[in-house]
Amino acid sequence: MNGNGSKTATKTARSTWGRTRFGSRSVPALALAIPVGVILAVLASGAALLAGFSQQQPLLGAAVAAGATVAPLTGLAWAVLVDRNTLRGAAARPEESVESRWYGASAAGAFHDLLIVVGLATAVLFLTPLEMDGSTALVCMLIAGALSVGVRYAVNKRRG
C-alpha cells in the first residue's frame, strides 16, 4: 500500500509485437518466432524436396517452398508463442467481446446453411445423372461455408 491507502499495481509494458514469457523471464515474441518460422520453413522445404516437388531442379523447388512458407510459418509461430497480456490494444477477455459473439452466431448460422446446401446438393446428385468428384465437392463446401460465415458476420456487425 502506498501513502494514500491504495494498492499500486505493477503493469507489464505492452508492445506492438508482444513478448513471450518463460517463467519470470520474457523475450520479444518476434525474436523467438522468426528463428522458429525459418526452421519450420526449412523442414517444409525438405518435405517438398523428398516429395519430389520439383523433378527437374529439386534444390530450386526446395528454395521456392522455403521462401513461400517462411512468412506464414513465422506468423503462426508468433501467434502460438506471444503472450496476449503483453500486446498493446489486446482485449483482456476476447471470448467475452462483441466480435466473439458475432463470430459465434455467424459460425452457428453457417453450419445450418451448410446442412441445407449439402442436403440439397446430395439430393440433386442422387436424383440426376450429374456426377462430382469428392475433392471438388469438398472445395465447394469450404467456399460455401466461408462465404456464409463472412456474410453473416458482416450482417451481425452492421446490426451492432
Side-chain angles (χ1 to χ4, degrees):
M1 293 203 160
N2 61 13
N4 61 8
S6 66
K7 292 183 180 179
T8 58
T10 59
K11 284 191 167 187
T12 304
R14 292 180 174 231
S15 67
T16 303
W17 294 102
R19 300 185 67 81
T20 300
R21 292 187 188 192
F22 296 106
S24 62
R25 288 189 58 218
S26 71
V27 296
L30 278 180
L32 191 58
I34 291 172
V36 169
V38 169
I39 290 169
L40 291 174
V42 168
L43 291 174
S45 68
L49 187 66
L50 291 174
F53 178 65
S54 176
Q55 298 290 334
Q56 287 79 19
Q57 296 181 343
L59 292 179
L60 178 62
V64 168
T69 59
V70 71
L73 289 173
T74 299
L76 178 64
W78 176 84
V80 169
L81 295 170
V82 71
D83 180 5
R84 286 189 48 79
N85 294 327
T86 63
L87 285 173
R88 185 180 308 136
R93 290 183 301 275
E95 66 278 357
E96 296 176 10
S97 68
V98 67
E99 291 86 359
S100 178
R101 282 183 272 159
W102 292 340
Y103 175 77
S106 302
F111 175 72
H112 293 120
D113 292 346
L114 277 179
L115 287 176
I116 293 167
V117 169
V118 170
L120 291 173
T122 302
V124 167
L125 290 174
F126 182 73
L127 297 173
T128 64
L130 295 174
E131 291 187 20
M132 182 180 282
D133 186 43
S135 59
T136 304
L138 289 173
V139 167
C140 290
M141 287 174 49
L142 180 66
I143 291 170
L147 286 173
S148 180
V149 169
V151 168
R152 285 174 172 274
Y153 187 89
V155 169
N156 286 335
K157 185 176 179 180
R158 187 171 183 93
R159 287 181 185 164

